[in-house]
Amino acid sequence: MKPEAIKDYYVINGQINTTENAEIFEKIERPPIYEVIRVIDGVPLFLEDHLNRMFDSANIIGYNIDRDEQEIRKDIKSLILKNNIDKLNIKLLSTEIEGKAKVFLVYNIDSFYPPEEYYKNGIHTILFHYERNNPNAKVLFTSFKEEVSKALKEKNAFEALLVNKLGYIPEGSRSNMFFVKGDKVYTAKASEVLIGITRKHIFDVCNKLNIRIVEESIHIEDLKKLDGGFMSGTSVNVLPISRIDDISLNSINNEIIKEINNGYIREVENYILKHRNEWV
């Protein structure tokens, strides 16, 4: 695995190390369990949800993470303070490496947050035929990531919608997908996807706004019948889709998508306000 820690420091098994000494990454061969957490105003957003999902992923594949929640929280706080982080993503990574047994890494990574124009104009997406073996476990497979990245670059797209062998779209390559038809929002069943943290909070927002969510994947033959769509994820929040291959969607003007986006932003703001004092 290529070294991906940025800034001056990272944490390994509770110990602070400089990123100049990052040979440990090159020793990682087994696909690791990982989480990416967004830091806003020095606060790791929805941290409890991310940690729960990471331990769930480990349980699904029969892997035991040696560090407990309090130790991981301490690692994250040390990194935020040491690297003086206000707004940047943090990656948690747990795996085994030869000669070191289990390692738990906490480090900052390059983070891309879509500019305002992406939210105003929507994004271009593509269809990508691929089916995850175990969608509920967040495990990093480098070859899949590279294949998707190549396809996105070739077609100048922002995200790939994964199409399974039956022609349904359960999720994106790095996001959850939501589609609007009439007054309903459609998204795949929890059993078919990696349950995104942003997805969970979008469900909460829709419940508060009395917007009905139907847990049902959309078939590629039905894309032209949609009134809109959006992707959700740690770094993108609620991001409207303007195009899927050559199919145009008027997502940026869809009132339901606007309501969900505004409601989600309120959830984020409230969380940061509630937890800010824990991270100073």
Side-chain angles (χ1 to χ4, degrees):
M1 177 177 173
K2 296 177 182 178
E4 57 180 1
I6 64 170
K7 307 297 282 187
D8 295 326
Y9 301 97
Y10 72 102
V11 181
I12 175 170
N13 294 342
Q15 300 297 314
I16 294 285
N17 278 262
T18 66
T19 50
E20 292 177 354
N21 180 24
E23 296 89 355
I24 191 78
F25 288 93
E26 296 174 358
K27 297 178 182 179
I28 296 173
E29 295 181 356
R30 172 178 171 168
I33 298 166
Y34 74 102
E35 280 291 323
V36 175
I37 303 166
R38 184 171 184 171
V39 176
I40 302 176
D41 294 340
V43 178
L45 188 63
F46 305 136
L47 177 59
E48 302 80 8
D49 295 322
H50 281 285
L51 293 181
N52 287 337
R53 184 172 67 176
M54 189 169 196
F55 282 104
D56 286 345
S57 290
N59 289 333
I60 288 171
I61 65 171
Y63 180 82
N64 181 55
I65 297 174
D66 284 348
R67 296 187 73 70
D68 62 30
E69 182 176 333
Q70 289 306 313
E71 289 173 322
I72 297 171
R73 281 176 171 269
K74 185 178 178 181
D75 292 346
I76 293 171
K77 188 170 185 177
S78 295
L79 186 75
I80 289 174
L81 295 176
K82 196 73 175 172
N83 280 339
N84 192 26
I85 298 304
D86 180 65
K87 177 185 175 183
L88 194 67
N89 288 357
I90 286 177
K91 191 166 187 175
L92 312 179
L93 187 150
S94 183
T95 190
E96 296 175 357
I97 62 172
E98 187 178 350
K100 191 81 175 177
K102 291 181 179 178
V103 294
F104 195 97
L105 299 166
V106 183
Y107 54 96
N108 291 113
I109 57 173
D110 283 322
S111 309
F112 175 80
Y113 306 117
E116 190 62 31
E117 65 187 81
Y118 282 36
Y119 296 93
K120 289 181 178 178
N121 302 326
I123 56 164
H124 172 210
T125 63
I126 61 172
L127 298 177
F128 188 88
H129 291 264
Y130 181 88
E131 195 163 351
R132 296 186 199 268
N133 292 326
N134 198 338
N136 290 142
K138 189 154 188 173
V139 179
L140 179 62
F141 291 99
T142 305
S143 58
F144 163 70
K145 186 177 178 181
E146 290 174 348
E147 287 174 23
V148 171
S149 180
K150 180 182 177 182
L152 292 175
K153 187 175 181 180
E154 287 175 352
K155 299 185 179 180
N156 194 28
F158 184 77
E159 172 63 312
L161 281 60
L162 304 186
V163 182
N164 66 23
K165 58 189 176 184
L166 297 177
Y168 288 93
I169 304 169
E171 60 187 337
S173 69
R174 60 181 187 274
S175 63
N176 289 123
M177 287 294 159
F178 294 82
F179 301 102
V180 179
K181 188 162 37 170
D183 61 353
K184 300 182 184 68
V185 176
Y186 291 79
T187 193
K189 294 177 182 177
S191 60
E192 298 175 354
V193 298
L194 178 70
I195 304 173
I197 306 307
T198 308
R199 176 187 189 273
K200 176 191 173 205
H201 288 275
I202 287 172
F203 269 65
D204 292 341
V205 167
C206 287
N207 184 51
K208 292 174 184 176
L209 295 173
N210 292 316
I211 296 172
R212 184 184 171 195
I213 291 185
V214 180
E215 291 190 73
E216 181 181 299
S217 294
I218 293 294
H219 195 276
I220 56 175
E221 295 297 326
D222 295 324
L223 290 175
K224 292 181 180 179
K225 302 174 185 177
L226 299 175
D227 296 312
F230 63 92
M231 65 177 280
S232 69
T234 297
S235 297
V236 302
N237 296 341
V238 174
L239 189 55
I241 297 170
S242 61
R243 196 149 55 95
I244 303 172
D245 281 343
D246 295 324
I247 299 170
S248 295
L249 297 177
N250 192 24
S251 304
I252 57 172
N253 294 314
N254 186 274
E255 290 301 321
I256 289 178
I257 295 176
K258 288 180 182 179
E259 284 186 60
I260 293 171
N261 179 58
N262 292 336
Y264 179 75
I265 290 172
R266 286 193 296 271
E267 290 270 314
V268 169
E269 291 172 344
N270 290 338
Y271 183 92
I272 292 170
L273 190 63
K274 180 180 178 181
H275 294 274
R276 180 173 281 132
N277 289 339
E278 299 172 24
W279 300 94
V280 295

